[in-house]
Amino acid sequence: MAIIAYARVSTEGQTLDAQIDQLTAAGADHIFREKISGARSDRAALIAAIDALQQNDIFLVTRLDRLARSTRDLLNIMAAIAERKAAFRSISDAWADSTTPHGRLLLTILGGLAEFERELIRARTSEGRLRAKAKGIRMGRRPKLTPFQMREARERHNAGESAAAIARSFAVNRSTISRLLSPELS
């Protein structure tokens, strides 16, 4: 069992020293460090730290805000740690410790609440989409061509003009015209 630690500060002007001292005192075997905003999802040292985890290792941070900027971000990171069959512990946040039964309980409740929130959002989004469709609102991207241009493109194609030439005249990709001319859409 190894203790893999992660330390992060947001700006170059900040120092990692205090975090490194705490993590070392807590028994960290290896500390991954980086100076990058927590809002970024492409944190190389965080990814490397999670990749370094083996079964029964402990992933250690000084505080949760050094690891994640939102509950969803935290839960995604926790899921990645759990996939490695490793545990998680935060020095300053005693409740965030999956090495104890109480910590696992709280993290499970937090995960359940986040899943419930995602389901509520999905239901509200679906209901809103259905209401919009009932009002005749078209979903998706706006068409590249107006109805008049679509009619004109079909007429020009029926008169023998190539899809590429029609596309150039409307400043759209040839595939836009080809989709318009496909039998399913006519």
Side-chain angles (χ1 to χ4, degrees):
M1 177 188 88
I3 298 176
I4 307 296
Y6 175 71
R8 181 190 62 80
V9 291
S10 298
T11 63
E12 289 296 323
Q14 296 174 318
T15 177
L16 291 163
D17 297 342
Q19 288 181 60
I20 291 168
D21 290 345
Q22 283 183 296
L23 295 167
T24 302
D29 296 308
H30 186 72
I31 302 172
F32 289 82
R33 318 151 196 234
E34 66 188 338
K35 294 184 177 186
I36 190 170
S37 169
R40 303 239 342 234
S41 60
D42 61 337
R43 293 179 273 162
L46 175 60
I47 293 166
I50 292 171
D51 286 345
L53 290 170
Q54 302 291 316
Q55 185 171 347
N56 299 323
D57 284 352
I58 296 173
F59 187 88
L60 181 68
V61 294
T62 57
R63 293 189 337 244
L64 287 177
D65 68 340
R66 298 296 87 208
L67 182 62
R69 292 282 289 240
S70 68
T71 303
R72 178 161 292 144
D73 187 28
L74 175 63
L75 291 171
N76 289 339
I77 293 168
M78 298 296 231
I81 293 168
E83 280 178 17
R84 312 285 298 188
K85 294 185 176 29
F88 172 78
R89 190 162 61 96
S90 169
I91 295 170
S92 299
D93 307 290
W95 63 269
D97 184 351
S98 70
T99 65
T100 68
H102 290 96
R104 281 191 299 278
L105 171 66
L106 288 171
L107 290 170
T108 300
I109 291 169
L110 182 63
L113 290 171
E115 187 175 330
F116 178 69
E117 178 188 12
R118 280 192 299 275
E119 288 299 321
L120 288 176
I121 291 168
R122 190 171 311 155
R124 284 193 303 265
T125 302
S126 180
E127 290 168 4
R129 193 174 301 126
L130 290 173
R131 279 194 309 277
K133 283 184 178 182
K135 290 180 181 178
I137 297 172
R138 187 181 178 281
M139 307 305 267
R141 293 174 59 180
R142 290 189 182 277
K144 296 275 185 184
L145 302 174
T146 66
F148 175 79
Q149 290 172 320
M150 289 181 205
R151 247 188 334 274
E152 182 182 337
R154 284 189 185 106
E155 289 170 3
R156 289 168 57 184
H157 184 264
N158 291 340
E161 195 171 344
S162 73
I166 298 168
R168 277 192 302 275
S169 71
F170 288 121
V172 296
N173 194 298
R174 189 183 67 76
S175 62
T176 301
I177 301 300
S178 296
R179 277 193 304 276
L180 175 69
L181 300 173
S182 70
E184 304 90 50
L185 298 177
S186 295

